[in-house]
Amino acid sequence: MARRIQQNPRDRVESQQMWRTTARPVDWPARVEAIKKRDKSCRWIDNGNVCGSVENVEVDHINDPADHSLDNLRLLCRSHHRRRTGQQGAQAAAAWRARNPRKRPDEPHPGLTT
């Protein structure tokens, strides 16, 4: 039996999991099946070539992780999904470090007089 895909995925969502930044819609299994049927294999492009692996495929958000529309989802093999997630994590960490530098602000030496 095919599951119906909601028009607006933010209408109802599953319970929030600790490691997720956004909850998935309750019809997520139907979306996964729709993406598997549409893409059929890994869509990762490296040097102009599509990976095309059909083993251990997972659904990846292309842009906004809160947008669960079918246009924002694609199929990736596990290794490429992990690579992409690692890249996104590294970018987020670099952005956080840029906003929160570890260096203390310069202070005048306590022995100097002005």
Side-chain angles (χ1 to χ4, degrees), residues 2-18:
R3 293 186 180 198
R4 185 172 80 55
I5 296 176
Q6 299 172 173
Q7 294 293 44
N8 185 354
R10 291 188 177 96
D11 287 345
R12 292 175 35 218
V13 294
E14 68 183 0
S15 63
Q16 183 80 16
Q17 295 177 351
M18 290 176 83

Side-chain angles (χ1 to χ4, degrees), residues 73-96:
L73 300 173
R74 67 177 171 183
L75 208 57
L76 293 180
C77 63
R78 182 170 293 151
S79 64
H80 285 134
H81 195 201
R82 286 183 177 175
R83 179 193 287 184
R84 174 163 161 79
T85 302
Q87 289 170 347
Q88 291 172 321
Q91 289 171 348
W96 185 87

